[in-house]
Amino acid sequence: MTIATAASAQDTVQVAVSDSGDTAWILTSSALVLMMTLPGLALFYGGLVRTKNVLSVVLQCGAIAAVASVLWIVVGYTLAFGGLTNGWLGAGNAWMMIEMGALREGTTMPESTFGLFQMTFAVITPALMVGAWVERARFGWVIGFCALWGLIVYAPVAHWIWGGGWMAQQFGVLDFAGGIVVHTTAGVSALVIALLLGRREGFPEKPLLPHAPTLTMMGAAMLWVGWFGFNGGSAFAATDDASTAIINTHVAASAAALTWLLVEKFMIGKPTGIGWATGAIAGLATVTPAAGFISPGAAILFGILAGVICYGAIQLVKHRMNIDDSLDVFAVHGVGGILGTLLLGIFLAPEFGGTGYAEGMGMGSQLGGQAISVVIVAIWSAIASAIIALMVSLVFPMRVSSDAEREGLDITSHGERGWEFD
């Protein structure tokens, strides 16, 4: 073997070896993101519904996590992150996650680690939609809809933006951790389903109050901590990029929670625990698409705007338009994700502390690319979700009976009670 050949072989070995520190961080982040769904989101949503429906909400989150995980292994991963073909769907080279590479291209981690991390995103995204249909959707329909939705809506959009697909190539769209891929898809789809299902009995004539605000605050706290893995892990390395993303995540949530409390004080006279929780989630959703690209100062502004605009969106959707998006999925996640995606086009600028635009891009072209990507994904999510919902309803009716709704889904759908009080 010549010296040149030996050096080449050594370089090949170096390229094929993953970085243990980066891999450990992404494995940890995967656990944090899964915690966001189980138990974070389950507690957050569970506390917001009435006592007679708490178990049904928690069970829906758990069942969605299970079915989304299995389908991700079988087919979802390859649809989203398989080899590039035409830019619309990934190639079929990774069915059942076979032939995982020693390294995921563009990272320093094994492809199995990358696939695991992305699976946790595929789990929480459909689970976010549970908040739109609580207290009235049939369990079988929920599972069937979310199973197909993950393959028809989520996986293709993930490929278009994160998998090197056509949207990233054509528009140069940036989405650090899911403002479009997660929050826009889930938020818009949730609004469509809320319209298809119709309102809960009694809405909006009588208040349908949360039964356990304390559980909601605890769930929000778990989501907040888990979001460090959600955004920090999206740096794909244990570097300054991850630290910056986590700092921005934390400060945006803090600013949004404080802003929401202040708005409540002016609007209803008292700051509330539900307000703190909702404001924090709005800030987290809004900063997500930009977390690794902006400065902490910009992240504070993202949080303040999230607190004001998402609060206003709830008033518009629920109280003026009387759309029963029960737990405000669109107003918080959809509007927040869209808001952050558009603001990124501006605050990516170096003069605002951002990381700067790609070669050939400027503020106008970046903002335009962000906006058109949001519009396309929103339209795709809305149309596909409506079709999937109606298709599944041919097998499983979308909504429980009026009697079941009045008695509560815990007993009528599952034969159990969330709480037993002697």
Side-chain angles (χ1 to χ4, degrees):
M1 178 183 293
T2 65
I3 295 176
T5 303
S8 177
Q10 184 179 9
D11 290 342
T12 301
V13 171
Q14 290 175 346
V15 169
V17 175
S18 60
D19 183 282
S20 61
D22 293 342
T23 301
W25 166 235
I26 303 306
L27 291 173
T28 302
S29 296
S30 300
L32 288 170
V33 179
L34 184 60
M35 185 187 75
M36 292 172 67
T37 307
L38 305 170
L41 189 67
L43 288 173
F44 181 78
Y45 281 167
L48 289 171
V49 297
R50 289 169 289 179
T51 306
K52 61 185 179 180
N53 294 307
V54 58
L55 177 73
S56 69
V57 172
V58 175
L59 179 55
Q60 285 180 27
C61 289
I64 290 169
V67 72
S69 298
V70 172
L71 289 176
W72 184 253
I73 299 296
V74 175
V75 65
Y77 177 75
T78 200
L79 292 177
F81 295 103
L84 281 173
T85 52
N86 55 13
W88 290 90
L89 287 174
N93 59 294
W95 307 106
M96 293 287 184
M97 282 194 169
I98 59 175
E99 299 182 12
M100 292 286 99
L103 285 179
R104 171 69 187 183
E105 184 178 357
T107 75
T108 55
M109 74 184 85
E111 189 172 7
S112 59
T113 303
F114 176 82
L116 169 66
F117 181 66
Q118 293 296 341
M119 181 178 70
T120 61
F121 280 63
V123 164
I124 194 171
T125 306
L128 291 175
M129 296 187 291
V130 168
W133 58 61
V134 294
E135 303 192 309
R136 62 199 188 280
R138 191 178 295 268
F139 182 73
W141 177 87
V142 167
I143 304 309
F145 171 78
C146 288
L148 292 177
W149 187 91
L151 301 180
I152 296 172
V153 176
Y154 179 82
V157 174
H159 184 73
W160 299 349
I161 296 176
W162 288 341
W166 70 276
M167 196 169 283
Q169 296 175 23
Q170 188 166 342
F171 304 126
V173 61
L174 295 176
D175 186 1
F176 189 76
I180 301 177
V181 178
V182 175
H183 296 289
T184 299
T185 58
V188 171
S189 298
L191 185 65
V192 169
I193 300 306
L195 289 168
L196 289 175
L197 265 177
R199 305 168 184 171
R200 289 169 292 175
E201 292 193 4
F203 179 91
E205 291 79 14
K206 64 180 183 180
L208 306 176
L209 299 177
H211 88 283
T214 301
L215 287 185
T216 296
M217 293 187 70
M218 291 170 61
M222 290 181 177
L223 284 164
W224 189 327
V225 173
W227 227 291
F228 285 14
F230 197 87
N231 289 352
S234 293
F236 297 131
T239 62
D240 175 65
D241 291 340
S243 301
T244 299
I246 291 174
I247 291 170
N248 290 338
T249 298
H250 183 65
V251 75
S254 300
L258 292 172
T259 300
W260 203 286
L261 293 176
L262 185 63
V263 171
E264 282 190 326
K265 178 64 177 177
F266 279 104
M267 297 300 294
I268 63 176
K270 295 179 180 179
T272 68
I274 296 293
W276 174 87
T278 306
I281 301 305
L284 292 164
T286 302
V287 79
T288 287
F293 300 130
I294 60 173
S295 68
I300 293 174
L301 180 60
F302 274 50
I304 293 171
L305 291 174
V308 174
I309 292 175
C310 292
Y311 184 93
I314 291 176
Q315 307 312 307
L316 175 64
V317 172
K318 181 172 283 184
H319 301 297
R320 293 191 182 182
M321 300 176 69
N322 289 331
I323 298 173
D324 192 12
D325 177 5
S326 309
L327 307 185
D328 307 312
V329 182
F330 174 74
V332 174
H333 293 279
V335 172
I338 292 169
L339 174 63
T341 299
L342 298 178
L343 289 174
L344 171 58
I346 299 170
F347 288 91
L348 190 64
E351 52 265 40
F352 294 136
T355 57
Y357 301 100
E359 185 177 353
M361 299 288 285
M363 185 179 293
S365 57
Q366 189 69 56
L367 184 57
Q370 301 293 109
I372 194 170
S373 298
V374 165
V375 171
I376 292 171
V377 169
I379 293 173
W380 169 252
S381 299
I383 294 174
S385 295
I387 294 172
I388 297 166
L390 295 174
M391 286 176 55
V392 175
S393 70
L394 298 176
V395 181
F396 303 103
M398 292 179 66
R399 187 163 179 157
V400 300
S401 67
S402 297
D403 289 341
E405 186 175 343
R406 283 191 290 270
E407 189 172 351
L409 273 62
D410 288 2
I411 283 293
T412 59
S413 295
H414 308 295
E416 300 174 295
R417 294 189 187 277
W419 310 109
E420 291 286 355
F421 299 106
D422 295 328

